[in-house]
């Protein structure tokens, strides 16, 4: 939401206050997105004005809304530490803040004061066909250094000042990485524990502030076990694993196979999308095939965040096996994946100057045919 705070309150510093016109423009941008895309369940980050957001989404048909924390207020009107929230068109039957396993945290070398940098929200939403589903909303620790220094210390020589800043960036950046990775690990453990107790489907969404491929968060997609009995792992593991919705979408796409023979035939065959081979299914009448051209869809994942000349995917929706079409007992498949980024790559000032600094990820699920 990028500092969603209703005036005359200020975010972080006393002069950072939206004018009435700016606030109306920010509200309008959110409303326009909801009107155009009409998602059924939404996870929000960087929420300061909880009541205002609840009212805004209620006007758009979201009768269910929840938070599990409140922002910190200093000097009566300066806000910091925004919270996450969830809105749904379907009933939310249970809401809680996820509590980490403090004994496990100690085993991992974390001190007794460890907490999530933002409280993790778990809402159980009654979705059509599949029933109660545990939806987790997160905003993991950013890469910003945990150690703050005065970057313009006039008491130090220029070289000394640079050295001090360098040390702070190296140590503070690693501290943030430890925090972010620990948050993801401890959350995943609680998700597995919850899954074991309830057997309910799982959905994890939010700003991860890290790419999943990075080793810091890659354990969120753990799908293999070392030394475990192979048969047991294959039988039970998938039920407790998460899948990147982008990967599920890619797997669901079909390649077009154009077969030239005495009579032109066009077939759709399942594409691996991760393989470069072009084998034809045995069911094809190979004796009739003269030329085979396999065209795989150009599937390129759009970044969700830009920083200078670089870009990355920081925002994700992860799904349990009930949403994986390759899983025998799944209910749904990911039929579409969209990253709304017009305000980032082709902004118009009047429309986009008070939006969000992230792309908005939207996943469409449909019942398996």
């Amino acid at each position: 939401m990028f500092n969603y705070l209703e005036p005359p309150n200020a975010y972080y510093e006393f002069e950072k206050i939206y004018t009435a016109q700016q606030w109306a423009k920010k509200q309008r941008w959110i409303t326009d997105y909801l009107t155009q895309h009409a998602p059924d369940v939404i996870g929000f980050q960087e929420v300061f004005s909880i009541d205002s957001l609840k009212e805004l989404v209620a006007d758009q048909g979201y009768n269910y809304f929840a938070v599990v924390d409140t922002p910190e207020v200093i000097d009566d009107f300066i806000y910091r530490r925004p919270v996450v929230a969830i809105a749904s068109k379907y009933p939310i039957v249970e809401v809680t803040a996820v509590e980490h396993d403090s004994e496990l945290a100690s085993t991992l070398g974390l001190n007794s004061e460890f907490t999530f940098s933002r409280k993790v929200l778990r809402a159980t939403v009654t979705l059509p066909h599949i029933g109660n589903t545990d939806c987790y909303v997160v905003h993991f620790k950013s890469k910003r250094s945990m150690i703050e220094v005065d970057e313009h210390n006039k008491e130090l020589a220029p070289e000394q000042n640079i050295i001090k800043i360098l040390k702070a960036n190296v140590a503070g950046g690693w501290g943030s990485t430890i925090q972010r990775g620990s948050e993801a690990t401890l959350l995943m453990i609680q998700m597995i524990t919850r899954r074991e107790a309830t057997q309910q489907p799982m959905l994890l969404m939010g700003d991860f502030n890290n790419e999943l491929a990075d080793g810091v968060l890659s354990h969120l997609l753990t799908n293999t076990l070392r030394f475990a009995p192979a048969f047991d792992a294959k039988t039970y593991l998938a039920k407790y694993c998460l899948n990147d919705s982008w990967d599920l979408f890619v797997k669901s796409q079909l390649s077009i196979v154009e077969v030239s023979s005495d009579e032109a035939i066009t077939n759709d065959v399942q594409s691996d999308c991760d393989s470069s081979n072009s084998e034809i299914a045995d069911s094809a009448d190979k004796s009739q095939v003269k030329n085979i051209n396999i065209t795989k869809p150009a599937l390129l994942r759009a970044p969700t965040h830009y920083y200078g000349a670089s870009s990355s995917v920081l925002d994700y929706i992860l799904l349990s096996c009930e949403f994986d079409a390759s899983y025998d007992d799944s209910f749904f498949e990911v039929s579409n994946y969209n990253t709304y980024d017009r305000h980032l790559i082709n902004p118009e000032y009047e429309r986009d100057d008070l939006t969000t600094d992230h792309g908005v990820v939207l996943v469409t699920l449909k019942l398996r045919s």
Side-chain angles (χ1 to χ4, degrees):
M1 303 293 284
F2 196 51
N3 301 321
Y4 184 82
L5 180 58
E6 186 173 12
N9 297 304
Y11 49 94
Y12 302 114
E13 300 174 12
F14 73 92
E15 76 276 9
K16 292 185 175 180
I17 302 173
Y18 295 120
T19 66
Q21 182 181 13
Q22 288 173 326
W23 179 245
K25 185 180 290 187
K26 190 172 184 69
Q27 295 279 83
R28 184 170 63 250
W29 187 89
I30 299 167
T31 299
D32 288 346
Y33 177 85
L34 296 180
T35 301
Q36 179 181 355
H37 295 276
D40 296 301
V41 180
I42 318 167
F44 297 98
Q45 294 82 38
E46 291 199 27
V47 178
F48 286 117
S49 295
I50 295 171
D51 291 339
S52 173
L53 181 59
K54 182 178 181 180
E55 181 179 350
L56 182 150
V57 296
D59 290 342
Q60 299 300 311
Y62 298 87
N63 295 324
Y64 304 92
F65 179 87
V67 296
V68 292
D69 199 7
T70 55
E72 180 183 350
V73 185
I74 57 175
D75 295 334
D76 296 328
F77 74 102
I78 301 175
Y79 282 61
R80 60 185 184 183
R81 297 188 182 278
V83 304
V84 300
I86 190 170
S88 174
K89 293 181 178 179
Y90 299 110
I92 297 176
V93 297
E94 182 184 354
V95 180
T96 189
V98 176
E99 298 292 339
H100 71 276
D101 184 331
S102 57
E103 184 176 345
L104 176 58
S106 177
T107 300
L108 297 178
L110 304 173
N111 65 40
S112 59
E113 302 299 317
F114 176 87
T115 59
F116 290 110
S117 55
R118 291 103 172 173
K119 286 188 178 182
V120 176
L121 182 155
R122 187 188 75 223
T124 303
V125 181
T126 306
L127 298 177
H129 307 291
I130 202 170
N132 287 350
T133 300
D134 289 327
C135 300
Y136 296 80
V137 183
V138 299
H139 190 178
F140 291 143
K141 178 70 179 72
S142 72
K143 293 183 179 180
R144 186 178 298 109
S145 172
M146 298 180 70
I147 301 175
E148 296 184 3
V149 295
D150 181 2
E151 297 180 359
H152 304 284
N153 191 333
K154 296 181 180 179
E155 297 180 1
L156 297 176
E159 184 175 357
Q160 291 177 315
N161 192 44
I162 289 298
I163 291 173
K164 186 174 183 179
I165 295 171
L166 174 61
K167 289 179 177 179
N169 284 352
V170 171
W174 176 242
S176 295
T177 298
I178 294 173
Q179 173 74 26
R180 185 166 58 259
S182 299
E183 289 176 356
T185 300
L186 293 171
L187 170 60
M188 189 66 198
I189 296 301
Q190 295 308 107
M191 293 180 69
I192 293 171
T193 301
R194 170 76 173 179
R195 173 75 151 171
E196 181 183 16
T198 67
Q199 301 298 306
Q200 292 174 175
M202 303 181 292
L203 188 158
L204 171 61
M205 55 184 167
D207 177 2
F208 289 13
N209 268 315
N210 213 110
E211 293 196 298
L212 268 178
D214 190 321
V216 176
L217 299 184
S218 59
H219 53 279
L220 288 174
L221 299 180
T222 297
N223 58 10
T224 58
L225 295 177
R226 297 179 64 186
F227 311 122
F231 177 80
D232 291 345
K234 183 177 180 181
T235 303
Y236 303 112
L237 184 60
K239 185 165 64 172
Y240 296 95
C241 293
L242 293 172
N243 305 277
D244 187 346
S245 55
W246 168 259
D247 293 338
L248 297 182
F249 169 64
V250 170
K251 285 200 302 184
S252 73
Q253 300 308 291
L254 300 178
S255 289
I256 305 301
V257 180
E258 185 180 12
V259 181
S260 300
S261 62
D262 294 337
E263 181 178 354
I265 304 171
T266 301
N267 292 326
D268 287 342
V269 299
Q270 181 68 40
S271 169
D272 191 347
C273 287
D274 294 321
S275 170
S276 61
N277 70 61
S278 58
E279 296 178 355
I280 301 301
D282 291 339
S283 59
D285 184 356
K286 296 179 182 179
S287 65
Q288 298 296 319
V289 176
K290 293 182 179 179
N291 298 298
I292 300 171
N293 298 308
I294 297 181
T295 303
K296 294 187 178 181
L299 296 174
L300 297 175
R301 190 175 200 165
T304 67
H305 189 259
Y306 295 85
Y307 184 76
S310 64
S311 62
S312 54
V313 179
L314 301 182
D315 304 84
Y316 295 88
I317 299 176
L318 308 186
L319 304 167
S320 59
C321 60
E322 287 83 0
F323 307 95
D324 179 0
S326 67
Y327 184 73
D328 289 342
D329 296 326
S330 64
F331 284 75
F332 290 92
E333 64 179 331
V334 179
S335 62
N336 198 16
Y337 184 104
N338 177 262
T339 300
Y340 184 82
D341 57 5
R342 182 178 65 177
H343 57 294
L344 301 177
I345 62 175
N346 188 29
E348 294 181 8
Y349 177 81
E350 186 59 31
R351 181 190 65 201
D352 299 318
D353 69 316
L354 290 164
T355 57
T356 170
D357 59 340
H358 284 244
V360 183
V361 175
L362 176 68
V363 167
T364 303
L365 306 172
K366 74 172 184 178
L367 283 174
R368 287 180 59 190
S369 56

